[in-house]
Amino acid sequence: MRVRMVLVALVGLLSVAGCAAAAEPAEAYEQADVRFSQQMITHHRETIQLAELGAERGNAYVKELSGKIIPAEQADIKTMSSWLTSWKEQIPAEAEAAKRGSELPAGSGFERGWLTLLSGHLEHGIHMAKEVQSAGKHQPTRSLADRIVREQGEQLAEIGKRLA
């Protein structure tokens, strides 16, 4: 009887140890990763506001670019929000701000003004991403930053050609 109890206890301990070993460890992160996600969520929301304006008032190129930006930025916000939640950090509240770009002229000057405004905004996003590339520890955050630098760099190059 005693041997049986020891065997049952041993099997129980081994199964618990096996479960613990199989459990995925939490990814390490730094305050830089938290700060990036919080600031980039706000930044992406501003980008979405700007893209919504472009989708409403822009030419074919601006509408197409806006149509790509909106779902991509929404997906990033969802991802970064899930990280912040898992880290028990605050997700930035949505601010009721004036729509970015609402001061742009209607008509033919809109596209140039919008592209110029978007260009500066994307440059700021790249700067934020480069900061977390050097200071962050969370690998998924660093991967997102790498993608932001690459994709927004490509968008800036295309916008630069259109503004030239």
Tab-separated table of all heavy atoms in Angstrom, residues 60-117:
chain	number	residue	atom	x	y	z
A	60	ALA	N	-6.882	58.754	-56.501
A	60	ALA	CA	-6.828	57.287	-56.522
A	60	ALA	C	-5.641	56.749	-55.712
A	60	ALA	O	-5.788	55.795	-54.947
A	60	ALA	CB	-6.784	56.784	-57.953
A	61	TYR	N	-4.461	57.358	-55.875
A	61	TYR	CA	-3.286	56.892	-55.136
A	61	TYR	C	-3.468	57.055	-53.632
A	61	TYR	O	-3.186	56.140	-52.856
A	61	TYR	CB	-2.016	57.629	-55.596
A	61	TYR	CG	-0.833	57.311	-54.719
A	61	TYR	CD1	-0.211	56.072	-54.788
A	61	TYR	CD2	-0.362	58.246	-53.794
A	61	TYR	CE1	0.862	55.770	-53.964
A	61	TYR	CE2	0.709	57.947	-52.965
A	61	TYR	CZ	1.314	56.704	-53.051
A	61	TYR	OH	2.370	56.396	-52.228
A	62	VAL	N	-3.929	58.209	-53.205
A	62	VAL	CA	-4.127	58.484	-51.785
A	62	VAL	C	-5.175	57.526	-51.200
A	62	VAL	O	-4.994	56.989	-50.114
A	62	VAL	CB	-4.520	59.965	-51.557
A	62	VAL	CG1	-5.005	60.211	-50.139
A	62	VAL	CG2	-3.337	60.879	-51.888
A	63	LYS	N	-6.232	57.287	-51.941
A	63	LYS	CA	-7.269	56.355	-51.478
A	63	LYS	C	-6.720	54.933	-51.372
A	63	LYS	O	-7.009	54.222	-50.407
A	63	LYS	CB	-8.483	56.394	-52.408
A	63	LYS	CG	-9.293	57.659	-52.256
A	63	LYS	CD	-10.498	57.677	-53.184
A	63	LYS	CE	-11.246	58.994	-52.952
A	63	LYS	NZ	-12.493	59.070	-53.670
A	64	GLU	N	-5.930	54.530	-52.351
A	64	GLU	CA	-5.342	53.187	-52.321
A	64	GLU	C	-4.385	53.038	-51.131
A	64	GLU	O	-4.433	52.044	-50.403
A	64	GLU	CB	-4.597	52.915	-53.628
A	64	GLU	CG	-3.937	51.551	-53.661
A	64	GLU	CD	-3.101	51.338	-54.920
A	64	GLU	OE1	-3.272	52.076	-55.908
A	64	GLU	OE2	-2.262	50.423	-54.889
A	65	LEU	N	-3.518	54.026	-50.942
A	65	LEU	CA	-2.579	54.000	-49.823
A	65	LEU	C	-3.330	53.993	-48.495
A	65	LEU	O	-3.001	53.217	-47.591
A	65	LEU	CB	-1.617	55.195	-49.900
A	65	LEU	CG	-0.556	55.296	-48.809
A	65	LEU	CD1	0.299	54.033	-48.753
A	65	LEU	CD2	0.313	56.532	-49.047
A	66	SER	N	-4.342	54.818	-48.384
A	66	SER	CA	-5.152	54.858	-47.161
A	66	SER	C	-5.812	53.513	-46.902
A	66	SER	O	-5.883	53.050	-45.756
A	66	SER	CB	-6.228	55.945	-47.276
A	66	SER	OG	-5.636	57.223	-47.340
A	67	GLY	N	-6.279	52.869	-47.980
A	67	GLY	CA	-6.915	51.564	-47.852
A	67	GLY	C	-5.972	50.481	-47.361
A	67	GLY	O	-6.406	49.494	-46.769
A	68	LYS	N	-4.687	50.652	-47.595
A	68	LYS	CA	-3.683	49.707	-47.087
A	68	LYS	C	-3.297	50.034	-45.652
A	68	LYS	O	-3.070	49.143	-44.837
A	68	LYS	CB	-2.424	49.753	-47.965
A	68	LYS	CG	-2.622	49.192	-49.355
A	68	LYS	CD	-1.353	49.358	-50.176
A	68	LYS	CE	-1.543	48.893	-51.603
A	68	LYS	NZ	-0.371	49.158	-52.440
A	69	ILE	N	-3.202	51.322	-45.368
A	69	ILE	CA	-2.745	51.766	-44.054
A	69	ILE	C	-3.739	51.394	-42.950
A	69	ILE	O	-3.346	50.877	-41.898
A	69	ILE	CB	-2.488	53.293	-44.052
A	69	ILE	CG1	-1.241	53.610	-44.864
A	69	ILE	CG2	-2.384	53.845	-42.641
A	69	ILE	CD1	-0.999	55.092	-45.081
A	70	ILE	N	-5.006	51.656	-43.172
A	70	ILE	CA	-5.997	51.496	-42.104
A	70	ILE	C	-6.015	50.085	-41.518
A	70	ILE	O	-5.830	49.928	-40.303
A	70	ILE	CB	-7.393	51.966	-42.566
A	70	ILE	CG1	-7.370	53.482	-42.812
A	70	ILE	CG2	-8.474	51.583	-41.544
A	70	ILE	CD1	-8.602	54.040	-43.524
A	71	PRO	N	-6.204	49.027	-42.321
A	71	PRO	CA	-6.255	47.696	-41.696
A	71	PRO	C	-4.928	47.261	-41.084
A	71	PRO	O	-4.906	46.574	-40.058
A	71	PRO	CB	-6.676	46.761	-42.836
A	71	PRO	CG	-6.416	47.499	-44.095
A	71	PRO	CD	-6.476	48.960	-43.763
A	72	ALA	N	-3.810	47.672	-41.680
A	72	ALA	CA	-2.502	47.303	-41.132
A	72	ALA	C	-2.287	47.935	-39.763
A	72	ALA	O	-1.835	47.271	-38.819
A	72	ALA	CB	-1.399	47.719	-42.096
A	73	GLU	N	-2.626	49.214	-39.639
A	73	GLU	CA	-2.441	49.910	-38.367
A	73	GLU	C	-3.412	49.374	-37.307
A	73	GLU	O	-3.048	49.248	-36.144
A	73	GLU	CB	-2.641	51.422	-38.547
A	73	GLU	CG	-1.736	52.033	-39.603
A	73	GLU	CD	-0.375	52.464	-39.103
A	73	GLU	OE1	-0.304	53.232	-38.136
A	73	GLU	OE2	0.622	52.043	-39.716
A	74	GLN	N	-4.638	49.039	-37.715
A	74	GLN	CA	-5.605	48.462	-36.779
A	74	GLN	C	-5.096	47.123	-36.246
A	74	GLN	O	-5.220	46.837	-35.048
A	74	GLN	CB	-6.971	48.284	-37.453
A	74	GLN	CG	-7.683	49.596	-37.694
A	74	GLN	CD	-8.932	49.457	-38.564
A	74	GLN	OE1	-9.054	48.549	-39.391
A	74	GLN	NE2	-9.869	50.377	-38.370
A	75	ALA	N	-4.513	46.315	-37.120
A	75	ALA	CA	-3.974	45.017	-36.693
A	75	ALA	C	-2.816	45.216	-35.710
A	75	ALA	O	-2.721	44.500	-34.700
A	75	ALA	CB	-3.519	44.206	-37.905
A	76	ASP	N	-1.946	46.187	-35.987
A	76	ASP	CA	-0.832	46.469	-35.071
A	76	ASP	C	-1.347	46.921	-33.713
A	76	ASP	O	-0.804	46.522	-32.676
A	76	ASP	CB	0.089	47.547	-35.650
A	76	ASP	CG	0.938	47.075	-36.816
A	76	ASP	OD1	0.957	45.860	-37.106
A	76	ASP	OD2	1.587	47.939	-37.447
A	77	ILE	N	-2.364	47.762	-33.708
A	77	ILE	CA	-2.939	48.239	-32.442
A	77	ILE	C	-3.463	47.055	-31.636
A	77	ILE	O	-3.238	46.960	-30.423
A	77	ILE	CB	-4.047	49.280	-32.690
A	77	ILE	CG1	-3.443	50.591	-33.191
A	77	ILE	CG2	-4.873	49.518	-31.418
A	77	ILE	CD1	-4.459	51.614	-33.687
A	78	LYS	N	-4.142	46.144	-32.296
A	78	LYS	CA	-4.675	44.961	-31.613
A	78	LYS	C	-3.536	44.138	-31.005
A	78	LYS	O	-3.613	43.706	-29.854
A	78	LYS	CB	-5.495	44.130	-32.594
A	78	LYS	CG	-6.178	42.953	-31.976
A	78	LYS	CD	-7.059	42.231	-32.980
A	78	LYS	CE	-7.746	41.043	-32.339
A	78	LYS	NZ	-8.588	40.319	-33.287
A	79	THR	N	-2.483	43.940	-31.765
A	79	THR	CA	-1.328	43.172	-31.293
A	79	THR	C	-0.665	43.851	-30.100
A	79	THR	O	-0.426	43.213	-29.065
A	79	THR	CB	-0.305	42.990	-32.433
A	79	THR	OG1	-0.922	42.251	-33.488
A	79	THR	CG2	0.940	42.272	-31.964
A	80	MET	N	-0.377	45.148	-30.231
A	80	MET	CA	0.292	45.859	-29.137
A	80	MET	C	-0.592	45.932	-27.897
A	80	MET	O	-0.101	45.844	-26.768
A	80	MET	CB	0.723	47.253	-29.594
A	80	MET	CG	1.859	47.220	-30.611
A	80	MET	SD	2.420	48.857	-31.145
A	80	MET	CE	1.055	49.366	-32.185
A	81	SER	N	-1.894	46.065	-28.091
A	81	SER	CA	-2.821	46.079	-26.956
A	81	SER	C	-2.784	44.746	-26.222
A	81	SER	O	-2.831	44.714	-24.986
A	81	SER	CB	-4.246	46.380	-27.429
A	81	SER	OG	-4.329	47.688	-27.944
A	82	SER	N	-2.677	43.648	-26.970
A	82	SER	CA	-2.621	42.333	-26.315
A	82	SER	C	-1.329	42.196	-25.506
A	82	SER	O	-1.333	41.616	-24.429
A	82	SER	CB	-2.767	41.199	-27.333
A	82	SER	OG	-1.615	41.070	-28.123
A	83	TRP	N	-0.222	42.736	-26.029
A	83	TRP	CA	1.020	42.701	-25.255
A	83	TRP	C	0.867	43.496	-23.969
A	83	TRP	O	1.236	43.020	-22.889
A	83	TRP	CB	2.185	43.268	-26.054
A	83	TRP	CG	2.576	42.482	-27.264
A	83	TRP	CD1	2.343	41.147	-27.499
A	83	TRP	CD2	3.252	42.975	-28.414
A	83	TRP	NE1	2.849	40.791	-28.720
A	83	TRP	CE2	3.407	41.886	-29.313
A	83	TRP	CE3	3.737	44.218	-28.789
A	83	TRP	CZ2	4.044	42.023	-30.540
A	83	TRP	CZ3	4.364	44.344	-30.019
A	83	TRP	CH2	4.524	43.256	-30.878
A	84	LEU	N	0.345	44.706	-24.085
A	84	LEU	CA	0.182	45.540	-22.896
A	84	LEU	C	-0.714	44.856	-21.863
A	84	LEU	O	-0.421	44.882	-20.663
A	84	LEU	CB	-0.372	46.915	-23.274
A	84	LEU	CG	0.593	47.804	-24.063
A	84	LEU	CD1	-0.135	49.026	-24.609
A	84	LEU	CD2	1.777	48.232	-23.196
A	85	THR	N	-1.775	44.226	-22.324
A	85	THR	CA	-2.674	43.509	-21.420
A	85	THR	C	-1.921	42.380	-20.723
A	85	THR	O	-2.041	42.203	-19.503
A	85	THR	CB	-3.896	42.963	-22.186
A	85	THR	OG1	-4.611	44.066	-22.742
A	85	THR	CG2	-4.813	42.162	-21.280
A	86	SER	N	-1.137	41.616	-21.481
A	86	SER	CA	-0.398	40.498	-20.880
A	86	SER	C	0.648	40.990	-19.880
A	86	SER	O	0.978	40.275	-18.939
A	86	SER	CB	0.256	39.633	-21.961
A	86	SER	OG	1.369	40.277	-22.538
A	87	TRP	N	1.153	42.197	-20.081
A	87	TRP	CA	2.134	42.775	-19.161
A	87	TRP	C	1.467	43.545	-18.022
A	87	TRP	O	2.149	44.143	-17.195
A	87	TRP	CB	3.078	43.722	-19.905
A	87	TRP	CG	3.874	43.104	-21.001
A	87	TRP	CD1	4.291	41.801	-21.103
A	87	TRP	CD2	4.365	43.766	-22.173
A	87	TRP	NE1	4.998	41.626	-22.252
A	87	TRP	CE2	5.075	42.799	-22.938
A	87	TRP	CE3	4.275	45.066	-22.657
A	87	TRP	CZ2	5.689	43.119	-24.144
A	87	TRP	CZ3	4.889	45.371	-23.865
A	87	TRP	CH2	5.588	44.407	-24.603
A	88	LYS	N	0.150	43.560	-18.047
A	88	LYS	CA	-0.636	44.304	-17.047
A	88	LYS	C	-0.280	45.797	-17.060
A	88	LYS	O	-0.161	46.440	-16.030
A	88	LYS	CB	-0.466	43.699	-15.662
A	88	LYS	CG	-0.971	42.251	-15.611
A	88	LYS	CD	-0.951	41.684	-14.247
A	88	LYS	CE	-1.427	40.258	-14.137
A	88	LYS	NZ	-1.723	39.469	-15.263
A	89	GLU	N	-0.134	46.319	-18.269
A	89	GLU	CA	0.160	47.735	-18.488
A	89	GLU	C	-1.051	48.405	-19.123
A	89	GLU	O	-1.874	47.744	-19.755
A	89	GLU	CB	1.382	47.898	-19.402
A	89	GLU	CG	2.671	47.338	-18.840
A	89	GLU	CD	3.274	48.191	-17.731
A	89	GLU	OE1	2.828	49.353	-17.536
A	89	GLU	OE2	4.202	47.703	-17.074
A	90	GLN	N	-1.125	49.695	-18.983
A	90	GLN	CA	-2.275	50.457	-19.469
A	90	GLN	C	-2.249	50.620	-20.986
A	90	GLN	O	-1.211	50.934	-21.575
A	90	GLN	CB	-2.293	51.827	-18.810
A	90	GLN	CG	-3.520	52.637	-19.127
A	90	GLN	CD	-3.562	53.925	-18.334
A	90	GLN	OE1	-2.664	54.248	-17.593
A	90	GLN	NE2	-4.636	54.670	-18.504
A	91	ILE	N	-3.413	50.413	-21.595
A	91	ILE	CA	-3.600	50.685	-23.023
A	91	ILE	C	-4.064	52.140	-23.118
A	91	ILE	O	-4.987	52.529	-22.407
A	91	ILE	CB	-4.649	49.734	-23.633
A	91	ILE	CG1	-4.156	48.292	-23.534
A	91	ILE	CG2	-4.946	50.120	-25.079
A	91	ILE	CD1	-5.205	47.265	-23.869
A	92	PRO	N	-3.430	52.948	-23.960
A	92	PRO	CA	-3.825	54.358	-24.055
A	92	PRO	C	-5.298	54.508	-24.454
A	92	PRO	O	-5.796	53.783	-25.317
A	92	PRO	CB	-2.922	54.917	-25.154
A	92	PRO	CG	-1.822	53.949	-25.300
A	92	PRO	CD	-2.346	52.616	-24.868
A	93	ALA	N	-5.949	55.451	-23.796
A	93	ALA	CA	-7.343	55.751	-24.135
A	93	ALA	C	-7.379	56.486	-25.460
A	93	ALA	O	-6.434	57.185	-25.828
A	93	ALA	CB	-7.970	56.615	-23.042
A	94	GLU	N	-8.473	56.310	-26.173
A	94	GLU	CA	-8.627	57.035	-27.434
A	94	GLU	C	-8.979	58.480	-27.126
A	94	GLU	O	-9.922	58.755	-26.405
A	94	GLU	CB	-9.700	56.386	-28.298
A	94	GLU	CG	-9.250	55.048	-28.827
A	94	GLU	CD	-10.047	54.595	-30.020
A	94	GLU	OE1	-10.307	55.413	-30.923
A	94	GLU	OE2	-10.409	53.415	-30.032
A	95	ALA	N	-8.195	59.371	-27.661
A	95	ALA	CA	-8.403	60.796	-27.424
A	95	ALA	C	-9.365	61.361	-28.464
A	95	ALA	O	-9.339	60.971	-29.628
A	95	ALA	CB	-7.076	61.541	-27.486
A	96	GLU	N	-10.167	62.267	-28.051
A	96	GLU	CA	-11.064	62.987	-28.960
A	96	GLU	C	-10.328	64.242	-29.410
A	96	GLU	O	-10.449	65.294	-28.829
A	96	GLU	CB	-12.368	63.360	-28.239
A	96	GLU	CG	-13.282	62.192	-27.974
A	96	GLU	CD	-13.846	61.582	-29.249
A	96	GLU	OE1	-14.124	62.335	-30.213
A	96	GLU	OE2	-13.994	60.353	-29.278
A	97	ALA	N	-9.527	64.074	-30.427
A	97	ALA	CA	-8.739	65.203	-30.931
A	97	ALA	C	-9.285	65.650	-32.277
A	97	ALA	O	-10.016	64.923	-32.935
A	97	ALA	CB	-7.280	64.774	-31.075
A	98	ALA	N	-8.888	66.827	-32.656
A	98	ALA	CA	-9.253	67.319	-33.986
A	98	ALA	C	-8.628	66.388	-35.010
A	98	ALA	O	-7.523	65.887	-34.822
A	98	ALA	CB	-8.728	68.736	-34.169
A	99	LYS	N	-9.349	66.147	-36.069
A	99	LYS	CA	-8.834	65.250	-37.110
A	99	LYS	C	-7.580	65.829	-37.726
A	99	LYS	O	-7.567	66.968	-38.182
A	99	LYS	CB	-9.890	65.023	-38.187
A	99	LYS	CG	-10.842	63.934	-37.829
A	99	LYS	CD	-11.364	63.310	-39.094
A	99	LYS	CE	-12.103	62.068	-38.708
A	99	LYS	NZ	-11.978	61.016	-39.649
A	100	ARG	N	-6.519	65.012	-37.730
A	100	ARG	CA	-5.278	65.436	-38.388
A	100	ARG	C	-5.564	65.644	-39.859
A	100	ARG	O	-6.210	64.838	-40.495
A	100	ARG	CB	-4.199	64.392	-38.195
A	100	ARG	CG	-3.699	64.328	-36.769
A	100	ARG	CD	-2.514	63.411	-36.660
A	100	ARG	NE	-1.437	63.775	-37.556
A	100	ARG	CZ	-0.343	64.467	-37.209
A	100	ARG	NH1	-0.215	64.881	-35.985
A	100	ARG	NH2	0.590	64.741	-38.088
A	101	GLY	N	-5.066	66.718	-40.395
A	101	GLY	CA	-5.212	66.993	-41.813
A	101	GLY	C	-6.469	67.758	-42.178
A	101	GLY	O	-6.661	68.111	-43.336
A	102	SER	N	-7.320	68.039	-41.192
A	102	SER	CA	-8.570	68.737	-41.506
A	102	SER	C	-8.318	70.147	-42.029
A	102	SER	O	-9.173	70.723	-42.687
A	102	SER	CB	-9.488	68.776	-40.280
A	102	SER	OG	-8.859	69.447	-39.208
A	103	GLU	N	-7.115	70.669	-41.776
A	103	GLU	CA	-6.772	72.014	-42.247
A	103	GLU	C	-6.304	72.011	-43.701
A	103	GLU	O	-6.097	73.074	-44.286
A	103	GLU	CB	-5.675	72.620	-41.350
A	103	GLU	CG	-4.292	72.021	-41.538
A	103	GLU	CD	-4.059	70.637	-40.894
A	103	GLU	OE1	-4.964	70.109	-40.234
A	103	GLU	OE2	-2.971	70.095	-41.071
A	104	LEU	N	-6.139	70.832	-44.290
A	104	LEU	CA	-5.656	70.760	-45.671
A	104	LEU	C	-6.678	71.319	-46.643
A	104	LEU	O	-7.884	71.134	-46.463
A	104	LEU	CB	-5.330	69.306	-46.037
A	104	LEU	CG	-4.158	68.687	-45.276
A	104	LEU	CD1	-4.057	67.199	-45.586
A	104	LEU	CD2	-2.860	69.398	-45.625
A	105	PRO	N	-6.189	71.985	-47.690
A	105	PRO	CA	-7.117	72.579	-48.665
A	105	PRO	C	-7.843	71.497	-49.470
A	105	PRO	O	-7.312	70.416	-49.696
A	105	PRO	CB	-6.196	73.390	-49.580
A	105	PRO	CG	-4.880	72.689	-49.492
A	105	PRO	CD	-4.793	72.169	-48.075
A	106	ALA	N	-9.037	71.814	-49.872
A	106	ALA	CA	-9.787	70.912	-50.760
A	106	ALA	C	-9.233	71.055	-52.167
A	106	ALA	O	-8.533	72.018	-52.475
A	106	ALA	CB	-11.268	71.267	-50.721
A	107	GLY	N	-9.520	70.091	-52.991
A	107	GLY	CA	-9.132	70.200	-54.394
A	107	GLY	C	-7.737	69.695	-54.659
A	107	GLY	O	-7.205	68.840	-53.937
A	108	SER	N	-7.102	70.267	-55.661
A	108	SER	CA	-5.829	69.748	-56.142
A	108	SER	C	-4.694	69.854	-55.129
A	108	SER	O	-3.754	69.083	-55.178
A	108	SER	CB	-5.432	70.470	-57.436
A	108	SER	OG	-5.264	71.845	-57.187
A	109	GLY	N	-4.755	70.782	-54.224
A	109	GLY	CA	-3.702	70.929	-53.215
A	109	GLY	C	-3.795	69.913	-52.088
A	109	GLY	O	-2.854	69.749	-51.321
A	110	PHE	N	-4.916	69.216	-52.013
A	110	PHE	CA	-5.115	68.268	-50.913
A	110	PHE	C	-4.073	67.148	-50.943
A	110	PHE	O	-3.455	66.843	-49.921
A	110	PHE	CB	-6.525	67.669	-50.936
A	110	PHE	CG	-6.702	66.587	-49.900
A	110	PHE	CD1	-6.944	66.925	-48.584
A	110	PHE	CD2	-6.594	65.250	-50.242
A	110	PHE	CE1	-7.077	65.940	-47.612
A	110	PHE	CE2	-6.729	64.253	-49.284
A	110	PHE	CZ	-6.978	64.610	-47.967
A	111	GLU	N	-3.890	66.514	-52.091
A	111	GLU	CA	-3.007	65.349	-52.170
A	111	GLU	C	-1.588	65.694	-51.736
A	111	GLU	O	-0.987	64.979	-50.952
A	111	GLU	CB	-2.991	64.760	-53.595
A	111	GLU	CG	-4.219	63.971	-53.935
A	111	GLU	CD	-5.424	64.823	-54.328
A	111	GLU	OE1	-5.248	66.036	-54.631
A	111	GLU	OE2	-6.536	64.288	-54.330
A	112	ARG	N	-1.061	66.794	-52.252
A	112	ARG	CA	0.307	67.191	-51.889
A	112	ARG	C	0.406	67.487	-50.393
A	112	ARG	O	1.338	67.031	-49.722
A	112	ARG	CB	0.738	68.394	-52.712
A	112	ARG	CG	2.168	68.778	-52.469
A	112	ARG	CD	2.689	69.734	-53.546
A	112	ARG	NE	4.114	69.832	-53.494
A	112	ARG	CZ	4.968	68.929	-53.966
A	112	ARG	NH1	4.528	67.850	-54.536
A	112	ARG	NH2	6.276	69.099	-53.871
A	113	GLY	N	-0.541	68.208	-49.864
A	113	GLY	CA	-0.541	68.506	-48.429
A	113	GLY	C	-0.673	67.246	-47.594
A	113	GLY	O	0.005	67.083	-46.580
A	114	TRP	N	-1.554	66.337	-48.025
A	114	TRP	CA	-1.789	65.101	-47.292
A	114	TRP	C	-0.546	64.223	-47.316
A	114	TRP	O	-0.129	63.690	-46.286
A	114	TRP	CB	-2.986	64.356	-47.896
A	114	TRP	CG	-3.395	63.145	-47.115
A	114	TRP	CD1	-4.240	63.106	-46.047
A	114	TRP	CD2	-2.985	61.791	-47.347
A	114	TRP	NE1	-4.383	61.808	-45.602
A	114	TRP	CE2	-3.617	60.984	-46.385
A	114	TRP	CE3	-2.147	61.186	-48.281
A	114	TRP	CZ2	-3.441	59.609	-46.317
A	114	TRP	CZ3	-1.956	59.811	-48.221
A	114	TRP	CH2	-2.603	59.042	-47.246
A	115	LEU	N	0.064	64.087	-48.487
A	115	LEU	CA	1.272	63.271	-48.600
A	115	LEU	C	2.416	63.857	-47.775
A	115	LEU	O	3.189	63.120	-47.150
A	115	LEU	CB	1.687	63.113	-50.062
A	115	LEU	CG	0.779	62.221	-50.903
A	115	LEU	CD1	1.146	62.335	-52.391
A	115	LEU	CD2	0.829	60.769	-50.447
A	116	THR	N	2.521	65.162	-47.744
A	116	THR	CA	3.552	65.821	-46.943
A	116	THR	C	3.317	65.571	-45.459
A	116	THR	O	4.250	65.245	-44.712
A	116	THR	CB	3.582	67.331	-47.245
A	116	THR	OG1	3.838	67.517	-48.651
A	116	THR	CG2	4.632	68.051	-46.433
A	117	LEU	N	2.079	65.717	-45.032
A	117	LEU	CA	1.723	65.475	-43.630
A	117	LEU	C	1.963	64.011	-43.263
A	117	LEU	O	2.560	63.706	-42.220
A	117	LEU	CB	0.263	65.870	-43.393
A	117	LEU	CG	-0.261	65.853	-41.965
A	117	LEU	CD1	0.562	66.767	-41.062
A	117	LEU	CD2	-1.720	66.291	-41.953
